[in-house]
Amino acid sequence: GNVFVDQSGPMLHAEFNLMYEVVQKLKHDNSVRAVLFKSEVKGIFCAGADLKERAQMSNTEVGHFVSRLRTLMSNIAALPMPTIAAVDGYALGGGLELALACDIRIAANSAKMGLIETTRGLLPGAGGSQRLPRVVGLGMAKELIFTGRQIDGEQAFSIGLVNHVVPQNDMGDAAYRKALDLAKEILPQAPIAVRMAKESMNKGMQVDITSGMAIEHMCYTRVIPTKDRLEGMAAFIEKRLPRFTGE
């Protein structure tokens, strides 16, 4: 089923450690078919790192913390199941980097997103300078990072930063509701096939297309011996919905 990961406000050491543990557990949980990242705080998805806490750190401690944050985002990006970020409010700095680490992003039209690090004498350090260009293109990524600009959900959708934009509701959870609907579309599909499709696309995007075809072949061969593949064919022949078990 779905797993919901809540992160809001500044990302402190305690919150970081908790999320790191959760992601490590999800990595090996074959029963999870989709992961949703959302916030329980109205108007905020994730406000990034706590700069007040960081101001008390030494240069060495700052470097270590950012390195661990980068590892966390990479671990989220490497989760085998689909991940969806439901951005119902502010996603700034590390908050947007968290959303960028997910496979799919959904935003409310009132959400505010931005890699604002240059306005604080920094640059994105948890994958933002690498993932944003891959999502919106190099030129647009440079403009957003150089200026530290914040954009709303409509603007984010227009440049391809988010997959969907929805009008915010009175509860402040419109993006989450849309994300939940999308997750419900994913859940009935064959989980091994979905995971292999994700691996094929993610790894294929890092290489030339000939190498990518080889990766696709490798992933496809891992699906052939599954019971789910036989169930899919049987359901088609018998004109019924398939009952995939992840085997």
Side-chain angles (χ1 to χ4, degrees):
N2 292 324
V3 170
F4 307 98
V5 182
D6 173 37
Q7 172 59 46
S8 58
M11 188 174 285
L12 303 166
H13 271 294
E15 284 83 0
F16 170 87
N17 290 333
L18 178 60
M19 185 174 289
Y20 190 92
E21 291 176 9
V22 169
V23 170
Q24 288 301 106
K25 291 178 181 178
L26 287 172
K27 181 180 178 181
H28 304 290
D29 192 340
N30 291 328
S31 68
V32 177
R33 298 194 182 190
V35 176
L36 273 63
F37 286 85
K38 62 184 288 288
S39 171
E40 291 294 332
V41 179
K42 190 174 182 179
I44 300 175
F45 171 70
C46 178
D50 187 341
L51 295 184
K52 291 181 180 179
E53 181 183 60
R54 188 175 294 184
Q56 305 303 315
M57 298 179 185
S58 67
N59 290 347
T60 300
E61 288 172 330
V62 170
H64 179 64
F65 178 75
V66 174
S67 178
R68 292 184 67 208
L69 199 58
R70 187 181 304 118
T71 299
L72 171 61
M73 301 308 173
S74 295
N75 288 349
I76 291 171
L79 282 172
M81 70 289 290
T83 54
I84 307 171
V87 183
D88 271 306
Y90 283 93
L92 304 177
L96 181 52
E97 288 177 309
L98 170 58
L100 284 166
C102 294
D103 298 311
I104 297 169
R105 287 161 294 283
I106 298 172
N109 59 351
S110 59
K112 296 291 184 182
M113 289 159 274
L115 294 179
I116 61 172
E117 285 83 355
T118 56
T119 70
R120 301 294 184 267
L122 300 164
L123 75 152
S129 70
Q130 301 305 305
R131 292 193 175 95
L132 186 62
R134 286 167 166 81
V135 173
V136 303
L138 184 58
M140 180 56 68
K142 285 181 176 179
E143 180 177 336
L144 293 175
I145 291 174
F146 292 168
T147 62
R149 183 185 304 151
Q150 297 180 34
I151 60 175
D152 62 26
E154 296 285 357
Q155 293 169 307
F157 178 72
S158 71
I159 63 173
L161 177 55
V162 300
N163 297 64
H164 302 276
V165 60
V166 292
Q168 187 56 283
N169 58 29
D170 293 337
M171 296 294 292
D173 65 351
Y176 163 67
R177 291 177 183 272
K178 176 67 175 179
L180 195 58
D181 287 341
L182 181 56
K184 289 177 180 178
E185 285 189 67
I186 295 171
L187 290 185
Q189 314 315 323
I192 297 176
V194 170
R195 288 177 177 226
M196 287 299 97
K198 175 173 176 174
E199 182 174 331
S200 179
M201 288 185 280
N202 281 357
K203 290 184 176 180
M205 287 299 293
Q206 307 303 317
V207 299
D208 62 89
I209 193 165
T210 301
S211 301
M213 293 295 186
I215 292 171
E216 181 184 79
H217 171 73
M218 176 192 70
C219 292
Y220 198 97
T221 57
R222 289 164 65 181
V223 173
I224 291 174
T226 63
K227 293 180 180 178
D228 279 350
R229 183 182 73 89
L230 299 177
E231 166 62 14
M233 291 190 297
F236 176 77
I237 294 170
E238 297 166 15
K239 293 182 171 56
R240 60 173 174 82
L241 294 175
R243 295 182 292 274
F244 296 121
T245 61
E247 298 177 271

